[in-house]
Structures are given as C-alpha cells and as structure tokens.
Amino acid sequence: GERKDIYNSCASLRDKVLIRLLWKSGRRIGEILPLKVKEIDLKNGLILWHIEKKKNETLRWKTIDDFAIKLLKYYIVQSGLGNEELLFPSPIEGKPLSRQRAFQIVRDTTKKAGVFFVGGKPPHPHHFRHSFAVDMARKMKSPADIRVLQQYLEHSNLDMTQQYLQFGGAEIKELLNEISEEE
C-alpha cells in the first residue's frame, strides 16, 4: 500500500535505499545515516547497526530482507562506493547526510506519493519504525514473540514494545472473526 507508493515515488536510487532501510529495518534515522559499506554483509544479509542507546552506542548485526540486500548491492556498485565509505555521504567530506536532509527526503517523497499526514502529523522518518513494529506485532503468533520484537527493536523495556500492540476496532473485529472461525 502506502509504503510501496512512497518507495516508488523516490527521486533517486539513494533515496530508494534510504526509504527501504527505514521501511524494512525498523531502525532509527540516526542509526541508518552513519552506515558504512563495510558494515553491510551482502552475502549473509546482515547489517551492523550502531544502536542508539540512552548513554552509549551498541553495535549489533541484524538481518534484513533479501530485496533490501539486492538493492544495497546494486546501489553500492552503481555509486562506486568503497568499503570504508559512508552509504549516505553528504556533500561535506567524511560526513553522512544530515537528519534534516533525511527528513526533507521523506517529506518530498511522501508528498509525491500523495501521503500528506500519518496519524494527523506530517510524515517523519520515525513513522517507518512505528509501522514496522506494528506490522511485526500483527504477525505475532505467540506472546513470546513480543520479546523477539523487543530485542529486534532494542527497546530496554517491554512497555516500549507493547505500545505497538494497541489495536483499533477493525483489527479487534478481524481477530474475533479469526477466533470464531477456529471453533
């Protein structure tokens, strides 16, 4: 739906990679922008994320979808990026794209896709993290899966993760219908 439209509205290959990582990784914008080519394991489909924690940064290898890996491989080759280089370099030598520029890319791309508001607010990079978490929460088969999601999102406490389990009326009705079909 909407995220596919946004992805398809990207102005450049770089923007497609940025939007895809926001959409499919559940990572924060500040964890995506400083990525270097050497932090992507194309063979095993892993990315070494610099996880933002309150007082420090944790490095963690996390899996990503196959299409994102193919897109990353294509982008790295097309852009001629070396192993030590930033995935999203800014015009300022040695610096990644700024958060402001990333916000601008998200706003321009969402506008082009006809998405002007998300939950009553202008689109923002963090909306992708939120919708990633909600999608994951919806696909959960058992209560233990909430712990898996908590670990993946790197939430220090379960309450942060559980906020993604707040469902609306339509979703509750769908779940109730699924349950009654099983009887």
Side-chain angles (χ1 to χ4, degrees):
E2 260 184 7
R3 283 168 290 183
K4 223 176 228 161
D5 294 344
I6 294 166
Y7 173 81
N8 289 327
S9 297
C10 289
S12 67
L13 180 57
R14 179 205 62 197
D15 295 358
K16 274 187 186 286
V17 173
L18 180 65
I19 295 293
R20 184 73 189 191
L21 288 178
L22 281 167
W23 174 17
K24 292 292 186 171
S25 73
R27 304 298 354 134
R28 297 171 182 94
I29 193 66
E31 295 167 352
I32 291 173
L33 295 175
L35 272 177
K36 289 189 173 174
V37 173
K38 68 180 179 184
E39 295 167 330
I40 298 160
D41 180 345
L42 294 168
K43 201 168 77 186
N44 297 305
L46 299 167
I47 297 177
L48 182 63
W49 297 104
H50 297 248
I51 308 294
E52 295 175 337
K53 290 290 191 177
K54 280 182 180 70
K55 289 190 173 66
N56 56 14
E57 184 180 85
T58 310
L59 293 173
R60 289 240 207 298
W61 286 101
K62 295 202 180 271
T63 190
I64 188 97
D65 68 296
D66 294 340
F67 184 81
I69 288 295
K70 284 182 186 133
L71 185 65
L72 281 161
K73 192 183 281 186
Y74 182 71
Y75 171 66
I76 291 164
V77 170
Q78 289 298 319
S79 306
L81 294 172
N83 219 19
E84 293 296 322
E85 290 183 76
L86 289 160
L87 203 56
F88 302 106
S90 83
I92 303 159
E93 186 68 33
K95 296 261 186 226
L97 275 184
S98 69
R99 292 169 88 96
Q100 290 81 355
R101 181 67 185 112
F103 281 52
Q104 191 181 5
I105 290 165
V106 167
R107 292 251 165 87
D108 292 348
T109 307
T110 52
K111 196 178 284 178
K112 201 169 145 193
V115 178
F116 302 98
F117 294 98
V118 178
K121 294 181 179 149
H124 179 288
H126 208 75
H127 286 126
F128 287 95
R129 178 172 166 86
H130 182 80
S131 59
F132 171 87
V134 170
D135 285 352
M136 294 291 277
R138 284 184 182 143
K139 289 178 175 80
M140 289 179 181
K141 301 282 182 255
S142 83
D145 292 343
I146 190 77
R147 296 284 298 155
V148 173
L149 182 58
Q150 177 193 6
Q151 286 178 331
Y152 189 83
L153 293 173
E154 297 286 336
H155 286 151
S156 46
N157 86 41
L158 202 53
D159 293 342
M160 283 290 298
T161 313
Q162 285 176 326
Q163 72 187 0
Y164 297 114
L165 296 173
Q166 306 302 314
F167 296 113
E171 291 158 317
I172 302 256
K173 186 173 177 125
E174 193 179 313
L175 287 169
L176 287 171
N177 287 332
E178 281 176 31
I179 291 165
S180 65
E181 285 167 14
E182 291 167 7
E183 290 169 355

